[in-house]
Amino acid sequence: MAHRLLVRRIWTVSVRDVRCPRAPSSALYSTSLCSSASPQPLLSPRRSLTRALPVTSRRQVSFNVQDQEDFTERVINSELPVVIDFHAQWCGPCKILGPRLEKAIGKQKGRVTMAKVDIDEHTDLAIEYGVSAVPTVIAMRGGDVIDQFVGIKDEDQLDSFVKKLIGQ
Amino acid sequence: MPPIENDTGRAELKTRIQQLIDSNPVLVFSKSYCPFCVKVKDLFKELNVICNAVELDLMADGSNLQDMLMEMTGQKTVPNVFINKTHIGGCDKTLQAHRDGLLQQLLGGENETYDYDLIVIGGGSGGLACSKEAALLGKKVMVLDYVVPTPLGTTWGLGGTCVNVGCIPKKLMHQTAVLGTAMQDARKFGWEFSEAVKHNWETMKTAVNNYIGSLNWGYRVALRDKNVNYVNAYAEFIEPHKIKATNRRGKEVFHTAARFVLATGERPRYLGIPGDKEYCITSDDLFSLPHCPGKTLVIGASYVALECGGFLAGLGLDVTVMVRSILLRGFDQDMANRAGEHMEEHGVKFLRKFVPVKVEELEKGTPGRLKVTAKSTDSDEIFEGEFNTVLIAVGRDACTGKIGLDKAGVHVNAKNGKIPVNDEEQTNVPHIYAIGDILEGKWELTPVAIQAGKLLARRLYKGGTLKCDYVNVPTTVFTPLEYGCCGLSEEKALELYGQDNIEIYHSLFWPLEFTVPNRDNNKCYSKIICNKLDSERVVGFHYLGPNAGEVTQGYGAAMKCGITKEQLDNTVGIHPTCAEIFTTMEVTKSSGGDISQAGC
């Protein structure tokens, strides 16, 4: 029993550690990361270790919006559909939703990207997009708002939200 | 001349009147003997405006003209005033238009148009309430808010003092201290927890500031939803109807408005001694201080000083309060001293009759070490002490000095920077109003500013007549033992009514919650001051005990209704509570009777 418990704990930790946290569109990592759909190799500590190494050159699943111009360029004019996460540092639920959302985006292997907007730093953007409460998540394609929700959602709901955006 | 019956005559008459209206910038249909007409004509004389009067009583067809005016304007009486072709009305309406600034606007020629109906300077409780109400009534409104950082660089978001560096963080940190006391009590009630209890400043600070962050955002959203144009920029007048707004990056934009509301509030005063701005903090810094302040010296005995000193001590810190003369100036001194004594009994040190001379830094750090030198106010004695943090809370200054009020012509009390207004919050410049903490001789309380702002907007844009009532405003000081009051202090009542005409009922009490932990017996105190000349109406209410805000609010409502001692006696108490003490007050202060609570 104790043994099983231990194994399970390692399993959980491993999954969390190596969940696709970044866009696998980068050739370097796409294969290995996305093959991680199979849980088997994750239990190998050696491989986990390799993945934990920071690789700055690879493209991120999500990025922080810097300013209005950046938003126009990387969100409105984005070729990929974008999920915009309006969040605030003082918002507890945002801290839960953010990583969950990143995970859901990561599963889509680069077919969608995620923009994070701190509403206190970029108040005008948040006001413009009608954000009243946080977290507010907006799905955008070609500069148009396709869908949105406010508050916490579970992983399945996030998956279907993202899938809907990329048209699956 | 007989009344004109035929249409041609009527049409001619109408044309004649219209021509008069069109060709005279200021036209008064008047009667030479009418005192109201004289008043109006005098007003224009005073304003240096040429006014053409048509004296109906001196004209042959005067009564026909008057009838036609009735048909054209719905007004039969004189004076009947027109300015730049706009019908103003009679004497009252003209005087009102002058007070509202409408007259000046119309006289200002060419019907000048402004960017906004109303610009509110200051996004605190008062300014936000006023702007939202005005926008709700269909007006085009702008709010400008800008927080000038403290000398140490602390700054905050939208919402003003109360939300960011006042009531809200203060009450939450007071609550932190109250919980500490509750934990000590808890053991007496049977709760067992073995570990030594510690407090984490950073956790509290983050939690409090997260809540404030959500409030800032809420205010911002409310402004958007109500169509108030919000600008995060510093506003100053450059003309009576024009302001310059400077944003964080120094970009300047100009805006004009028909009316303005000043709601800039106050900021903590510094001492003007070496080291004060360099090393000391104020309440503007305390609530977001990244580190625990450690051993703290609080300079001042204002309510801000006692509240901050109180909760810091409640967190277990070593706190000293340096007092120049008295505690809580302006409040009932009997109550103030009782609140102070309670603090002293619970470990707060008071250094009385001392004023600081200089503050020096001994060591940098979080917190660092500071050396404070002070001198006695009545001897040559010098005090030297070492503290981690020095908090200055010696009063607040109105933010009226750097907003170009001289350019707008607004009178400011040179002594304290406060703005005198009439009972409608109007300054000496008719189109400029002021609300909140910057008013002279008014309460410095958030709910008062909100009330004043809302009612002002309704009077300006909805024909409202209700004025803000500054009498019998209840309030509470959140010292460790809270002090709530409403109406007059004992000193003020004596001054107004005289010793012989007031009766004071008082009583000590012991909250049931304090009995089991066996603490603070005969410390809580209640007092009412009654006017003997007016059926013993309650003119002063004072309560020192737990939950003072909750207790005082209800009695404040009763005092608004004019409650008397007899009606209090006829009120049935809720048992067991602290508030019920006011329904059973028997001992008068003048009798000298015993008010202490005996044990069972």
Side-chain angles (χ1 to χ4, degrees), chain A residues 97-124:
Chain A
L97 184 79
R100 228 182 250 177
L101 198 55
E102 275 186 306
K103 190 174 168 189
I105 303 281
K107 285 183 195 163
Q108 297 309 320
K109 304 169 187 172
R111 280 175 293 188
V112 56
T113 165
M114 174 172 163
K116 293 191 278 192
V117 180
D118 183 315
I119 61 165
D120 292 314
E121 282 170 30
H122 310 292
T123 306
D124 292 347

PDB file of all heavy atoms in Angstrom, chain A residues 97-124:
ATOM      1  N   LEU A  97      -6.395  29.537 -12.402  1.00  0.00           N
ATOM      2  CA  LEU A  97      -6.812  29.378 -13.795  1.00  0.00           C
ATOM      3  C   LEU A  97      -5.627  29.480 -14.771  1.00  0.00           C
ATOM      4  O   LEU A  97      -5.553  28.705 -15.726  1.00  0.00           O
ATOM      5  CB  LEU A  97      -7.872  30.426 -14.159  1.00  0.00           C
ATOM      6  CG  LEU A  97      -8.427  30.245 -15.571  1.00  0.00           C
ATOM      7  CD1 LEU A  97      -9.454  29.116 -15.588  1.00  0.00           C
ATOM      8  CD2 LEU A  97      -9.027  31.522 -16.120  1.00  0.00           C
ATOM      9  N   GLY A  98      -4.717  30.428 -14.520  1.00  0.00           N
ATOM     10  CA  GLY A  98      -3.609  30.695 -15.447  1.00  0.00           C
ATOM     11  C   GLY A  98      -2.874  29.432 -15.875  1.00  0.00           C
ATOM     12  O   GLY A  98      -2.856  29.095 -17.065  1.00  0.00           O
ATOM     13  N   PRO A  99      -2.294  28.692 -14.914  1.00  0.00           N
ATOM     14  CA  PRO A  99      -1.557  27.472 -15.275  1.00  0.00           C
ATOM     15  C   PRO A  99      -2.445  26.419 -15.953  1.00  0.00           C
ATOM     16  O   PRO A  99      -2.012  25.740 -16.888  1.00  0.00           O
ATOM     17  CB  PRO A  99      -1.073  26.941 -13.923  1.00  0.00           C
ATOM     18  CG  PRO A  99      -1.099  28.123 -13.001  1.00  0.00           C
ATOM     19  CD  PRO A  99      -2.207  28.993 -13.490  1.00  0.00           C
ATOM     20  N   ARG A 100      -3.684  26.343 -15.504  1.00  0.00           N
ATOM     21  CA  ARG A 100      -4.613  25.372 -16.093  1.00  0.00           C
ATOM     22  C   ARG A 100      -4.843  25.693 -17.570  1.00  0.00           C
ATOM     23  O   ARG A 100      -4.884  24.809 -18.435  1.00  0.00           O
ATOM     24  CB  ARG A 100      -5.945  25.482 -15.339  1.00  0.00           C
ATOM     25  CG  ARG A 100      -6.517  24.150 -14.914  1.00  0.00           C
ATOM     26  CD  ARG A 100      -7.825  24.372 -14.245  1.00  0.00           C
ATOM     27  NE  ARG A 100      -7.746  24.106 -12.820  1.00  0.00           N
ATOM     28  CZ  ARG A 100      -8.772  24.284 -11.991  1.00  0.00           C
ATOM     29  NH1 ARG A 100      -9.921  24.748 -12.440  1.00  0.00           N
ATOM     30  NH2 ARG A 100      -8.644  24.023 -10.715  1.00  0.00           N
ATOM     31  N   LEU A 101      -4.980  26.984 -17.827  1.00  0.00           N
ATOM     32  CA  LEU A 101      -5.227  27.439 -19.185  1.00  0.00           C
ATOM     33  C   LEU A 101      -3.985  27.179 -20.051  1.00  0.00           C
ATOM     34  O   LEU A 101      -4.095  26.715 -21.183  1.00  0.00           O
ATOM     35  CB  LEU A 101      -5.549  28.941 -19.150  1.00  0.00           C
ATOM     36  CG  LEU A 101      -6.250  29.552 -20.353  1.00  0.00           C
ATOM     37  CD1 LEU A 101      -7.541  28.809 -20.675  1.00  0.00           C
ATOM     38  CD2 LEU A 101      -6.557  31.020 -20.072  1.00  0.00           C
ATOM     39  N   GLU A 102      -2.825  27.432 -19.481  1.00  0.00           N
ATOM     40  CA  GLU A 102      -1.580  27.199 -20.214  1.00  0.00           C
ATOM     41  C   GLU A 102      -1.457  25.739 -20.607  1.00  0.00           C
ATOM     42  O   GLU A 102      -1.016  25.401 -21.697  1.00  0.00           O
ATOM     43  CB  GLU A 102      -0.377  27.615 -19.355  1.00  0.00           C
ATOM     44  CG  GLU A 102      -0.077  29.096 -19.466  1.00  0.00           C
ATOM     45  CD  GLU A 102       1.191  29.488 -18.731  1.00  0.00           C
ATOM     46  OE1 GLU A 102       1.257  29.163 -17.526  1.00  0.00           O
ATOM     47  OE2 GLU A 102       2.062  30.122 -19.322  1.00  0.00           O
ATOM     48  N   LYS A 103      -1.896  24.907 -19.701  1.00  0.00           N
ATOM     49  CA  LYS A 103      -1.839  23.471 -19.961  1.00  0.00           C
ATOM     50  C   LYS A 103      -2.754  23.106 -21.131  1.00  0.00           C
ATOM     51  O   LYS A 103      -2.369  22.369 -22.039  1.00  0.00           O
ATOM     52  CB  LYS A 103      -2.272  22.728 -18.693  1.00  0.00           C
ATOM     53  CG  LYS A 103      -2.028  21.242 -18.750  1.00  0.00           C
ATOM     54  CD  LYS A 103      -2.358  20.649 -17.395  1.00  0.00           C
ATOM     55  CE  LYS A 103      -2.418  19.146 -17.462  1.00  0.00           C
ATOM     56  NZ  LYS A 103      -2.936  18.600 -16.196  1.00  0.00           N
ATOM     57  N   ALA A 104      -3.951  23.668 -21.102  1.00  0.00           N
ATOM     58  CA  ALA A 104      -4.914  23.380 -22.174  1.00  0.00           C
ATOM     59  C   ALA A 104      -4.392  23.888 -23.514  1.00  0.00           C
ATOM     60  O   ALA A 104      -4.563  23.237 -24.545  1.00  0.00           O
ATOM     61  CB  ALA A 104      -6.261  24.032 -21.844  1.00  0.00           C
ATOM     62  N   ILE A 105      -3.744  25.027 -23.487  1.00  0.00           N
ATOM     63  CA  ILE A 105      -3.180  25.589 -24.724  1.00  0.00           C
ATOM     64  C   ILE A 105      -2.031  24.705 -25.202  1.00  0.00           C
ATOM     65  O   ILE A 105      -1.916  24.398 -26.393  1.00  0.00           O
ATOM     66  CB  ILE A 105      -2.638  27.023 -24.464  1.00  0.00           C
ATOM     67  CG1 ILE A 105      -3.731  27.928 -23.919  1.00  0.00           C
ATOM     68  CG2 ILE A 105      -1.992  27.600 -25.727  1.00  0.00           C
ATOM     69  CD1 ILE A 105      -4.697  28.470 -24.890  1.00  0.00           C
ATOM     70  N   GLY A 106      -1.204  24.283 -24.244  1.00  0.00           N
ATOM     71  CA  GLY A 106      -0.049  23.449 -24.566  1.00  0.00           C
ATOM     72  C   GLY A 106      -0.451  22.190 -25.301  1.00  0.00           C
ATOM     73  O   GLY A 106       0.255  21.731 -26.205  1.00  0.00           O
ATOM     74  N   LYS A 107      -1.596  21.635 -24.942  1.00  0.00           N
ATOM     75  CA  LYS A 107      -2.064  20.398 -25.580  1.00  0.00           C
ATOM     76  C   LYS A 107      -2.316  20.580 -27.065  1.00  0.00           C
ATOM     77  O   LYS A 107      -2.363  19.611 -27.811  1.00  0.00           O
ATOM     78  CB  LYS A 107      -3.377  19.948 -24.926  1.00  0.00           C
ATOM     79  CG  LYS A 107      -3.206  19.326 -23.561  1.00  0.00           C
ATOM     80  CD  LYS A 107      -4.568  18.867 -23.066  1.00  0.00           C
ATOM     81  CE  LYS A 107      -4.542  18.579 -21.574  1.00  0.00           C
ATOM     82  NZ  LYS A 107      -5.904  18.532 -21.028  1.00  0.00           N
ATOM     83  N   GLN A 108      -2.502  21.828 -27.490  1.00  0.00           N
ATOM     84  CA  GLN A 108      -2.861  22.058 -28.887  1.00  0.00           C
ATOM     85  C   GLN A 108      -1.646  22.196 -29.806  1.00  0.00           C
ATOM     86  O   GLN A 108      -1.788  22.556 -30.975  1.00  0.00           O
ATOM     87  CB  GLN A 108      -3.782  23.277 -29.012  1.00  0.00           C
ATOM     88  CG  GLN A 108      -5.120  23.110 -28.299  1.00  0.00           C
ATOM     89  CD  GLN A 108      -5.822  21.824 -28.682  1.00  0.00           C
ATOM     90  OE1 GLN A 108      -5.803  21.424 -29.851  1.00  0.00           O
ATOM     91  NE2 GLN A 108      -6.435  21.166 -27.705  1.00  0.00           N
ATOM     92  N   LYS A 109      -0.500  21.930 -29.276  1.00  0.00           N
ATOM     93  CA  LYS A 109       0.719  21.830 -30.087  1.00  0.00           C
ATOM     94  C   LYS A 109       0.912  23.000 -31.038  1.00  0.00           C
ATOM     95  O   LYS A 109       1.139  22.825 -32.227  1.00  0.00           O
ATOM     96  CB  LYS A 109       0.699  20.527 -30.899  1.00  0.00           C
ATOM     97  CG  LYS A 109       0.522  19.315 -30.027  1.00  0.00           C
ATOM     98  CD  LYS A 109       0.231  18.104 -30.866  1.00  0.00           C
ATOM     99  CE  LYS A 109      -0.130  16.919 -29.975  1.00  0.00           C
ATOM    100  NZ  LYS A 109      -0.600  15.765 -30.720  1.00  0.00           N
ATOM    101  N   GLY A 110       0.795  24.194 -30.520  1.00  0.00           N
ATOM    102  CA  GLY A 110       1.128  25.356 -31.340  1.00  0.00           C
ATOM    103  C   GLY A 110       0.030  25.842 -32.269  1.00  0.00           C
ATOM    104  O   GLY A 110       0.257  26.719 -33.087  1.00  0.00           O
ATOM    105  N   ARG A 111      -1.157  25.268 -32.159  1.00  0.00           N
ATOM    106  CA  ARG A 111      -2.228  25.732 -33.037  1.00  0.00           C
ATOM    107  C   ARG A 111      -2.956  26.941 -32.460  1.00  0.00           C
ATOM    108  O   ARG A 111      -3.848  27.507 -33.066  1.00  0.00           O
ATOM    109  CB  ARG A 111      -3.222  24.590 -33.291  1.00  0.00           C
ATOM    110  CG  ARG A 111      -2.722  23.627 -34.351  1.00  0.00           C
ATOM    111  CD  ARG A 111      -3.632  22.454 -34.499  1.00  0.00           C
ATOM    112  NE  ARG A 111      -3.606  21.614 -33.291  1.00  0.00           N
ATOM    113  CZ  ARG A 111      -4.191  20.435 -33.204  1.00  0.00           C
ATOM    114  NH1 ARG A 111      -4.865  19.958 -34.218  1.00  0.00           N
ATOM    115  NH2 ARG A 111      -4.112  19.734 -32.093  1.00  0.00           N
ATOM    116  N   VAL A 112      -2.595  27.259 -31.231  1.00  0.00           N
ATOM    117  CA  VAL A 112      -3.216  28.406 -30.567  1.00  0.00           C
ATOM    118  C   VAL A 112      -2.190  28.965 -29.590  1.00  0.00           C
ATOM    119  O   VAL A 112      -1.335  28.238 -29.089  1.00  0.00           O
ATOM    120  CB  VAL A 112      -4.516  27.977 -29.841  1.00  0.00           C
ATOM    121  CG1 VAL A 112      -4.255  26.860 -28.863  1.00  0.00           C
ATOM    122  CG2 VAL A 112      -5.172  29.155 -29.118  1.00  0.00           C
ATOM    123  N   THR A 113      -2.260  30.249 -29.364  1.00  0.00           N
ATOM    124  CA  THR A 113      -1.309  30.834 -28.421  1.00  0.00           C
ATOM    125  C   THR A 113      -2.086  31.575 -27.323  1.00  0.00           C
ATOM    126  O   THR A 113      -3.298  31.732 -27.426  1.00  0.00           O
ATOM    127  CB  THR A 113      -0.290  31.737 -29.144  1.00  0.00           C
ATOM    128  OG1 THR A 113       0.364  32.543 -28.185  1.00  0.00           O
ATOM    129  CG2 THR A 113      -0.953  32.629 -30.154  1.00  0.00           C
ATOM    130  N   MET A 114      -1.361  31.967 -26.296  1.00  0.00           N
ATOM    131  CA  MET A 114      -2.034  32.560 -25.145  1.00  0.00           C
ATOM    132  C   MET A 114      -1.349  33.875 -24.758  1.00  0.00           C
ATOM    133  O   MET A 114      -0.133  33.921 -24.586  1.00  0.00           O
ATOM    134  CB  MET A 114      -1.972  31.582 -23.973  1.00  0.00           C
ATOM    135  CG  MET A 114      -2.520  32.141 -22.679  1.00  0.00           C
ATOM    136  SD  MET A 114      -2.585  30.794 -21.469  1.00  0.00           S
ATOM    137  CE  MET A 114      -2.743  31.702 -19.952  1.00  0.00           C
ATOM    138  N   ALA A 115      -2.164  34.934 -24.654  1.00  0.00           N
ATOM    139  CA  ALA A 115      -1.645  36.250 -24.258  1.00  0.00           C
ATOM    140  C   ALA A 115      -2.124  36.566 -22.857  1.00  0.00           C
ATOM    141  O   ALA A 115      -3.308  36.440 -22.557  1.00  0.00           O
ATOM    142  CB  ALA A 115      -2.152  37.315 -25.231  1.00  0.00           C
ATOM    143  N   LYS A 116      -1.185  36.944 -21.992  1.00  0.00           N
ATOM    144  CA  LYS A 116      -1.560  37.272 -20.618  1.00  0.00           C
ATOM    145  C   LYS A 116      -1.537  38.788 -20.431  1.00  0.00           C
ATOM    146  O   LYS A 116      -0.539  39.441 -20.745  1.00  0.00           O
ATOM    147  CB  LYS A 116      -0.605  36.596 -19.632  1.00  0.00           C
ATOM    148  CG  LYS A 116      -0.761  35.077 -19.651  1.00  0.00           C
ATOM    149  CD  LYS A 116      -0.025  34.421 -18.515  1.00  0.00           C
ATOM    150  CE  LYS A 116       1.440  34.254 -18.838  1.00  0.00           C
ATOM    151  NZ  LYS A 116       2.123  33.371 -17.858  1.00  0.00           N
ATOM    152  N   VAL A 117      -2.658  39.327 -19.948  1.00  0.00           N
ATOM    153  CA  VAL A 117      -2.757  40.774 -19.757  1.00  0.00           C
ATOM    154  C   VAL A 117      -3.005  41.071 -18.281  1.00  0.00           C
ATOM    155  O   VAL A 117      -4.036  40.672 -17.728  1.00  0.00           O
ATOM    156  CB  VAL A 117      -3.908  41.378 -20.610  1.00  0.00           C
ATOM    157  CG1 VAL A 117      -3.989  42.884 -20.385  1.00  0.00           C
ATOM    158  CG2 VAL A 117      -3.711  41.062 -22.081  1.00  0.00           C
ATOM    159  N   ASP A 118      -2.055  41.738 -17.654  1.00  0.00           N
ATOM    160  CA  ASP A 118      -2.243  42.185 -16.269  1.00  0.00           C
ATOM    161  C   ASP A 118      -3.112  43.451 -16.321  1.00  0.00           C
ATOM    162  O   ASP A 118      -2.703  44.477 -16.869  1.00  0.00           O
ATOM    163  CB  ASP A 118      -0.874  42.492 -15.640  1.00  0.00           C
ATOM    164  CG  ASP A 118      -0.993  42.886 -14.171  1.00  0.00           C
ATOM    165  OD1 ASP A 118      -1.886  43.693 -13.855  1.00  0.00           O
ATOM    166  OD2 ASP A 118      -0.187  42.405 -13.359  1.00  0.00           O
ATOM    167  N   ILE A 119      -4.310  43.355 -15.748  1.00  0.00           N
ATOM    168  CA  ILE A 119      -5.266  44.464 -15.929  1.00  0.00           C
ATOM    169  C   ILE A 119      -4.842  45.737 -15.205  1.00  0.00           C
ATOM    170  O   ILE A 119      -5.301  46.823 -15.551  1.00  0.00           O
ATOM    171  CB  ILE A 119      -6.695  44.070 -15.473  1.00  0.00           C
ATOM    172  CG1 ILE A 119      -6.716  43.696 -13.983  1.00  0.00           C
ATOM    173  CG2 ILE A 119      -7.243  42.963 -16.341  1.00  0.00           C
ATOM    174  CD1 ILE A 119      -8.108  43.664 -13.415  1.00  0.00           C
ATOM    175  N   ASP A 120      -3.981  45.621 -14.206  1.00  0.00           N
ATOM    176  CA  ASP A 120      -3.524  46.838 -13.531  1.00  0.00           C
ATOM    177  C   ASP A 120      -2.427  47.539 -14.329  1.00  0.00           C
ATOM    178  O   ASP A 120      -2.310  48.753 -14.302  1.00  0.00           O
ATOM    179  CB  ASP A 120      -3.034  46.515 -12.116  1.00  0.00           C
ATOM    180  CG  ASP A 120      -4.188  46.085 -11.224  1.00  0.00           C
ATOM    181  OD1 ASP A 120      -5.232  46.760 -11.260  1.00  0.00           O
ATOM    182  OD2 ASP A 120      -4.065  45.069 -10.530  1.00  0.00           O
ATOM    183  N   GLU A 121      -1.648  46.734 -15.060  1.00  0.00           N
ATOM    184  CA  GLU A 121      -0.601  47.331 -15.889  1.00  0.00           C
ATOM    185  C   GLU A 121      -1.162  47.828 -17.214  1.00  0.00           C
ATOM    186  O   GLU A 121      -0.667  48.780 -17.790  1.00  0.00           O
ATOM    187  CB  GLU A 121       0.511  46.312 -16.154  1.00  0.00           C
ATOM    188  CG  GLU A 121       1.455  46.146 -14.971  1.00  0.00           C
ATOM    189  CD  GLU A 121       2.394  44.969 -15.159  1.00  0.00           C
ATOM    190  OE1 GLU A 121       2.731  44.654 -16.309  1.00  0.00           O
ATOM    191  OE2 GLU A 121       2.778  44.361 -14.133  1.00  0.00           O
ATOM    192  N   HIS A 122      -2.172  47.146 -17.692  1.00  0.00           N
ATOM    193  CA  HIS A 122      -2.748  47.515 -18.992  1.00  0.00           C
ATOM    194  C   HIS A 122      -4.245  47.737 -18.851  1.00  0.00           C
ATOM    195  O   HIS A 122      -5.064  47.082 -19.482  1.00  0.00           O
ATOM    196  CB  HIS A 122      -2.456  46.427 -20.028  1.00  0.00           C
ATOM    197  CG  HIS A 122      -1.019  46.043 -20.062  1.00  0.00           C
ATOM    198  ND1 HIS A 122      -0.035  46.902 -20.513  1.00  0.00           N
ATOM    199  CD2 HIS A 122      -0.369  44.939 -19.637  1.00  0.00           C
ATOM    200  CE1 HIS A 122       1.146  46.334 -20.389  1.00  0.00           C
ATOM    201  NE2 HIS A 122       0.971  45.143 -19.857  1.00  0.00           N
ATOM    202  N   THR A 123      -4.567  48.697 -17.972  1.00  0.00           N
ATOM    203  CA  THR A 123      -5.959  48.972 -17.650  1.00  0.00           C
ATOM    204  C   THR A 123      -6.776  49.331 -18.888  1.00  0.00           C
ATOM    205  O   THR A 123      -7.909  48.883 -19.046  1.00  0.00           O
ATOM    206  CB  THR A 123      -6.019  50.115 -16.623  1.00  0.00           C
ATOM    207  OG1 THR A 123      -5.197  49.757 -15.515  1.00  0.00           O
ATOM    208  CG2 THR A 123      -7.433  50.338 -16.142  1.00  0.00           C
ATOM    209  N   ASP A 124      -6.177  50.142 -19.760  1.00  0.00           N
ATOM    210  CA  ASP A 124      -6.928  50.587 -20.935  1.00  0.00           C
ATOM    211  C   ASP A 124      -7.400  49.411 -21.786  1.00  0.00           C
ATOM    212  O   ASP A 124      -8.525  49.407 -22.287  1.00  0.00           O
ATOM    213  CB  ASP A 124      -6.076  51.534 -21.792  1.00  0.00           C
ATOM    214  CG  ASP A 124      -5.846  52.849 -21.064  1.00  0.00           C
ATOM    215  OD1 ASP A 124      -6.539  53.084 -20.054  1.00  0.00           O
ATOM    216  OD2 ASP A 124      -4.977  53.623 -21.501  1.00  0.00           O
TER     217      ASP A 124
END
